[in-house]
Amino acid sequence: MIKYFIQRYRMYFGLGVIILISLLGMLYFYDQRDIYKNNPIQIKEDNSSVKLKTIKSSIRLHHEKQWVVDVKGAVYHPGIYYFKQPPLVQTVLDRAGGCNEKVDQRRINLAAKVQDGQVIYVPEGQEAIPSEYPLPGMDQMKVNDNNETSTSTPDKIDLNHAGISDLEQIPGIGPKRAAEIIAYRDKKQGFKNLKELQEISGIGEKTYMKLSERLYI
């Protein structure tokens, strides 16, 4: 009797077993999903990933243009400093902690722009300025045998390093025109050639010819 019953309804028994297994599988899936939802898996970066990010960051910084300036002399923190754009002497000295109280700042053109790779030597008091480290934007100082300094006024002035006072020494350049020249120089990040002077309002061919006799790049 039982054997006959099983043989007759075995298809229904098999179908019931399949449905039961499916229900248990679904219950297990939803239970695991709730566990992951309440306790999300946190992926930790291994050392190789951190090193790769460090290398990429270093490569990016290497390719970014930087201006390097070596500061020596009577400043509180001499050393090498990096800038994202051409700095002024004032900016460089501020980064180096400023000058000490014995520095005569009348000898320093704080508005002069510093070039990449330049050395700024800040003299103390009336200390002689080393000939290999002339102050930016100022006439070069010559050191005599008695370790005294004397100002040498060259026939020509470096257009890309001259300050307002330097430009005013040239006939035909007053304070206003000197300021316009420096403003143009800062905007263009330096003159590429002397003929660019003619792009400044008020400087025509005749004026340019006179100025070019006293300027160089």
Side-chain angles (χ1 to χ4, degrees), residues 128-129 131 139-144 147-153:
I129 301 173
S131 58
D139 294 336
Q140 294 189 7
M141 305 296 289
K142 291 184 178 181
V143 182
N144 58 26
N147 200 31
E148 295 177 348
T149 61
S150 60
T151 304
S152 173
T153 305

Side-chain angles (χ1 to χ4, degrees), residues 4-71:
Y4 171 77
F5 180 81
I6 292 174
Q7 289 178 348
R8 184 174 182 179
Y9 295 99
R10 62 183 178 181
M11 182 179 68
Y12 297 103
F13 281 117
L15 183 60
V17 171
I18 293 174
I19 294 173
L20 180 60
I21 293 174
S22 299
L23 290 173
L24 291 175
M26 292 176 65
L27 289 174
Y28 177 79
F29 171 77
Y30 283 108
D31 183 59
Q32 292 298 314
R33 189 182 67 172
D34 291 338
I35 292 175
Y36 289 136
K37 183 177 181 180
N38 296 327
N39 299 280
I41 298 175
Q42 296 184 3
I43 301 175
K44 295 183 179 180
E45 294 183 341
D46 57 16
N47 290 334
S48 60
S49 177
V50 174
K51 289 180 180 179
L52 181 60
K53 287 184 177 181
T54 302
I55 293 172
K56 288 182 178 179
S57 177
S58 299
I59 293 174
R60 185 177 66 255
L61 291 175
H62 177 73
H63 287 289
E64 291 179 353
K65 173 63 178 176
Q66 288 187 317
W67 279 259
V68 185
V69 183
D70 185 3
V71 187

